[in-house]
Amino acid sequence: MSRRQPDGNDTDEESDAQIDPELRLRTVRTAASTIAESIRAETRAEKRKSARRKTSRFFRKASSEKKRPSTASSDTAPASSVVPGERRNVYVNQPLSAMEVDHHGEPVKVYVRNKVRTSKYTIITFIPKNLYEQFRRVANLYFLALVVMQIFPIFGAASPQISMLPLVFILGVTAIKDGIEDYRRVTLDDQVNNSAATKLGNWRNVNQPTDPRSWFERMLGLNPPGAVTKGVRKLREREASTGRIMLSKSEDSEERNSIATTREGPDDSRLWGANGRRLEDIQSVDSHSYPPASMMDPSKSTLVDSSQQLVNPLPFAANQMGMRSSSLSIAQPSRPAGVIDYNKRAVGSARWERTLWKKLEVGDIVLLRDDEQVPADIVVLSTSDPDGLCYLETKNLDGETNLKPRKSVQATSSITSEDDVERSSFVVDSEPPHQNLYLFHGVLKYKDPVSGEPKQESVSINEFLLRGTTVRNTTWIVGLVVYTGADTKIMLNGGGTPSKRSKIERETNFNVVMNFLILFIMCAVTAILSGLMDARTGTSADVFEVGADPTSSHVLNALVTFVSCLIAFQNIVPSSLYISIEIVKTIQAFFISQDVDMYYKPFDTACVPKTWNISDDLGQIEYIFSDKTGTLTQNIMEFQKCSIYGVAYGEGITEAQRGAAKRQGAAPVMDPEEQERNLVVLKEEMVATMQRSFKNRYGRVDKLTLISPKLAQDLTDRSNDQRSRIIAFFRALAICHSVLADRPEPDSNPFLTDYKAESPDESALVAAARDVGFPFVARSKDFIDIEVMGQTERYAPLKTLEFNSTRKRMSVIVRNSEGKIILFCKGADSVIYERLDKAHDPWLKDQTSKDMEAFANGGLRTLCIAYRYLSDEEYIQWSRIYDAATQSIKNRDEEIDKANEQIEHSLTILGATALEDKLQEGVPEAIETLHRAGIKLWILTGDKVQTAIEIGFSCNLLKSDMEIMILSADSAESARAQIEAGLNKIASILGPPSWDSKKRGFIHGTTKASFAVVIDGDTLRYALDPALKPLFLNLGTQCETVVCCRVSPAQKALTVKLVKDGRNAMTLSIGDGANDVAMIQEANIGCGLFGLEGSQAAMSADYAFGQFRFLTKLLLVHGRWSYQRVADMHSNFFYKSVIWTLAMFWYLPWNSFDATYLYQYTFILLYALVFTSLPVIVLGAFDQDINAKAALAFPQLYVRGIRGLEYTRTKFWLYMLDGLYQSAVVFFIPFCVWYFGSPVSWNGRGIDSLADFGTTVSVAAIFAANTYVGINTNYWTVIAWIVNIGSSLVMIIWIAIYSAFESPDFIDEVVVLFSNIIFWASVVVSVVLALAPRFLVKFVSTTYFPLDKDIVREMWVMGDLKDRLGIRHRRELKKAELEATPMFQKPHSRSESEFSTFQQDYEPALTHSPGDRGISAPRTAGYHDTPSTSYGSPAPGYEEILPDQQPQYVSAQPRFRDQDHLPTPTSAGSWGRVSPASVQPSYYSASDIPPSSPIPSPKYGYVSNTRNPLPSPALSPTSSAAGRPGPTSPTHQTLHVPSHPGYGSPSAESFEMRVRSPSGDDGHLQTPPPEHSGVTRGPSEASYATAPEELVDDGHNHDRRASTMSYAGPRAL
């Protein structure tokens, strides 16, 4: 592995530095090196891109000088990218152009409504669309054709009316199920469409027609223009809105958070402060002596007198200090009027009115208020902020809770009332609707009210609000609706709701076609032979069958016979298959929704299946595509560690550190609960130290995450030089940011301060500074107030150099109280280090770099903090350059970057920060489990590359033993070179790839190396180009993990489609935001996470639940079960159809091939619907091959689903052949009995009629079919017993009932047959001979060629797997327990003699539930006074307690079943202590009756504080004959199956559970328990890795026999 070294001398002409001389992509491993390499790759790409821009501008300039005409510049905005479609003009108080109106003066363009629909059906389209979807199934078309044929009597159908009932029933039930599914979507749509909004009413929107109704509505007189609909009327009545809404702009930054919207009345806004408090109610804070109050020179200080230090700084306070202020009144605008013509008379009729989202139209003026969602895509015209700023939360779009800033268009920013809108006149020229969420190009055109000159102003994404976002920290926003409904960007990214079909359902069409082919062959053979026999003359038919032929033509008679056979043999295509599958999948969906393990209490929701017919696909997922923010993470940042002057502070341990320790097999870190307890103690110590030294009024101890007593000691030690460095470090954090301070409870808790920021990183940094004693208090244009250890400091902000993905840093220039100018800078370490002072202390640089690398490798997000002092002359000179750059028209961004480079240099390091992006609970464990199941994970996120890499390491998706390749290209050629180099790198280590479907599924540990790819959005755009797609697909699918960054919603969907179609793989997408809807709908399975405020992803998903970790239970348990059940159900359905139909076919030679029915007609009708349907349905709904806990303990079993081994065409044909064989048996054995014998009933009546023979065959076939399903059943429940036996009994009962009625062919059949031993003997012999081969094959395969699931199942049933998983045996649950008696469960009366005077404290066996701590409960722990029984000798490691010994209430010390976790030490009062009782307490003591315990009373108890809850040597398979101490718990599950030369070759369907043996396992064969030592296994591919690769002869006499029930034990779940 060649690691990429820093190269600061990259030039534009240099070839791609990521590719080595052998054309292989360079790789990195650790988190720190990965992040550093990604930054270098982006820098190189940016340099090359910049160089190309310069070159292209040179040639463009040269060519333009030759071709450019001497005309004025175009009025249209420069389009950086051309969007196909017609541009959209939205007019406000301007007439439409002549091209845009018809001859009636009405607008030609009709825009879509704002009403959205994610449902598949409407009332009108439900029936035709649902029937279309159902008749896509070939079988349904076949059944429809048969129903039509049976109407004609020539084909001899007995009852055509009855024959159509099954098809009608199937179609009806399926339609009802689909309707219920879609009704849920309709309900959610109605909730969105009927949400409340505020728009400008009584005002003419010229973009909409005068009468927008359709011709149908006009004809019926519905919804006349201007009428208030019922929904709007109810909304207004509910809100009881009265008066007129008055808008005013807040003057101060903190008043941006106040509610400035008032009702009609006297304007007293200037009398109120922030959050609605009157000024006289605001109390001043205590006075402080620092900084000096005498420094009143405005050029050097912006301090105010302590008596004027208000909690919420107010404008008049600023005026007293001589600071610039503007009036609160907005009657006279302080800036140019822009689009407002104040000379124009306003009508005054326009009013803000409440309406519904679905009523909004393009061109409407809307009013948004704080905490409201944006109802459509809107251009911001004006906001409550004097600078025109507003803030959005995009949680519903992308799951991010940080605030996104937007601003109003400059020309319209002075609009503050309805009259201003009436006086305005402008048009917004926007591009056509498109999917890009991050791009919008528009132009606002207007005429200057004073000069009349045409003007224009560009409108970008910064002035644009997307539907679904939420307004935050902004009192009001006035906007113009540009896109509505289906034209909004978020709906364009979502696409239409797809109709998904499961993989098995699609494969079923092939099986149905094969059955059609078999049916056609049978009918053709019958028709031909019937025609030939009909053509013969001189036969008995001439005498006995006169007039029996339908026509005189032999050919036509043959055709009639062909159709009659189609009707007679119709059951070969199982008519009830589809309805049975619908029933089964409905039951499976119910089970999924009722799983308490997937219930999320904070949202009070369980897993909600929304698409019921694809549950079997959950068991075949090969690729998972996941969003990051809000899906893997909580989007909550915690300040965990920092480094200040080379000293690292912070005691926390991250998930990545735990995972790394676990993978490396190093000494495990502390148990998380024990660590949490230690952190609480350290936190209390730290807080106590700081509270003794200074007062922190704004501090919030509950939010303190940087826990370091050493930091508190150094901070409070005045004799230590480190104190001043710590103060300087946290002062920089409190100043260098763009955070807004919010006080949610100004009256009750004036010092409670929350921070709202553009990114959660910033708010976490500022909050950490606050909690350590450096709170940021307030900000305005002229000052920044902070406190430093209780003392107020004020700084004057001069410039803010904002952060962006290219700069990777942010700087703030301020003037302190001493008049010095300071530049604070924070950013990525590589960026900061390039700008350090040349004379910087090398030790500090090196030490801080090491600390940041350690932080990054621990999964933390690092930032480097630096500063420098500026002279006034330097700042003034630079400020001119910067201002000129910001005002430049051409190459503005590049000019600003150049200006920034001139000031951000010669920096000095203050320290580094390390933030942890908090993962959702259980995410690392879930990802590890999914990896072990053979599933590959791709992260598709809109975040930057470095953030995604940090999260990848935090959640163990990226690991230090991976070869990580970073793709960052700026052109298609560079992308191709890097992708090809990546393929070369993989091929050089792993060799050529294999795409064999039988080798699908990633098995960790089976390859020499594992690879991961990190790719950014620009490179992905090139990679998804048709020319590069195959290369990128080959690269990505050979990697364990792929991380795609800066990805748009459309790119997410394209990536999912690439893998789904390119590899024919089963894919699952999971996300929580509206930007994930596209990929959720594109994948085979879409999963959405519920949010606090609802989620568009959950609405559009197939399965919705609360947390990412629930995915493991959904896939590995429910998905695997569903796939196994549906696969077995399909096979059994086709089998039972064949055995029934072919038995009729064998009868044809004896009836001249004239399609005579062998069975009585009621049997034909009831066979599929009543006699044999329920056993198969129960099999598909309730069967379990292994228990849920076993499935989670051995996730490798899931690989069979990925490889599709449970439902193959080979299996289909084997079941069909089995049906063929059994049909011959059940027909010819009764035939031989009837042919060679002379069966006679007990009453002398002969058993020679067709009804007698046919009933015998049908009874044998039905018994065989139901018993066959029983043989294939793995999990026998009460329901399975009742249904399997009951279905056959129903058939017997039906014979008895039907034969009691008068009929020409079935009268007294029960008397004739059931009383005859020949009938019963024929049935029994037929069934036994028919099922014997299947039984023998099943026995041999499971005994000598077992699959891994067979071994696990045997371990569960006969071995000690239940003990190791902490599950009690059923026989133990049935034992009577002392504490289960009514005496301890119910109130009862006792005599006085029963009371005891002895008082002894009761020590319960378990005072803390192990489940509460994630600890596996001991298998046995109880009272030592349990009477001895004769169950045999105690297991090794246990001591038998004699009855005469003193009782003690004891239990085992808790122990994790993972050797990566140390046991929790025993402490006084813990639940592991032993009661010191010496005198036996009476259970009948009135005060000492023990509470009921969940732990059973065992025979054996622990006599010492052993940490092993399992029996030792005899029951522990990890204790070898060599005497190795046990038991141990290996990191990976390993099924120990011995290699034995006496057995055959492995099965072709077997899959290997190839798992690396743990380092502590020497590969020895395990000594089996004595009771199972006789059971041995032969070698099989199914258990490849479970057997040792080689036998080690160490001189010990190993027992070569090994129990199939023995195994190395799973980790604790």
Side-chain angles (χ1 to χ4, degrees), residues 71 195 398 489 581 882 913 958 978 1059 1134 1167 1384 1395 1415 1463 1478 1505 1576:
T71 59
S195 299
D398 52 22
K489 290 181 178 290
I581 290 175
Y882 181 82
T913 63
L958 298 176
Q978 293 184 25
V1059 177
F1134 284 106
Y1167 173 79
F1384 299 110
F1395 287 87
I1415 301 172
S1478 58
N1505 283 336
T1576 57

Side-chain angles (χ1 to χ4, degrees), residues 285-291 690 693-699 715 723 769-770 772-775 777 786-793:
V285 301
D286 298 334
S287 60
H288 296 273
S289 58
Y290 181 83
M690 293 192 297
S693 303
F694 59 88
K695 179 181 179 182
N696 186 6
R697 300 171 299 175
Y698 296 90
L715 182 60
R723 179 175 187 268
R770 173 199 63 196
V772 175
F774 300 82
V777 178
I786 68 171
E787 281 194 5
V788 176
M789 301 175 68
Q791 307 298 321
T792 300
E793 292 185 4

Side-chain angles (χ1 to χ4, degrees), residues 775-787:
F776 161 66
V777 178
R779 175 200 303 274
S780 75
K781 296 179 181 179
D782 304 290
F783 62 82
I784 298 175
D785 277 350
I786 68 171
E787 281 194 5

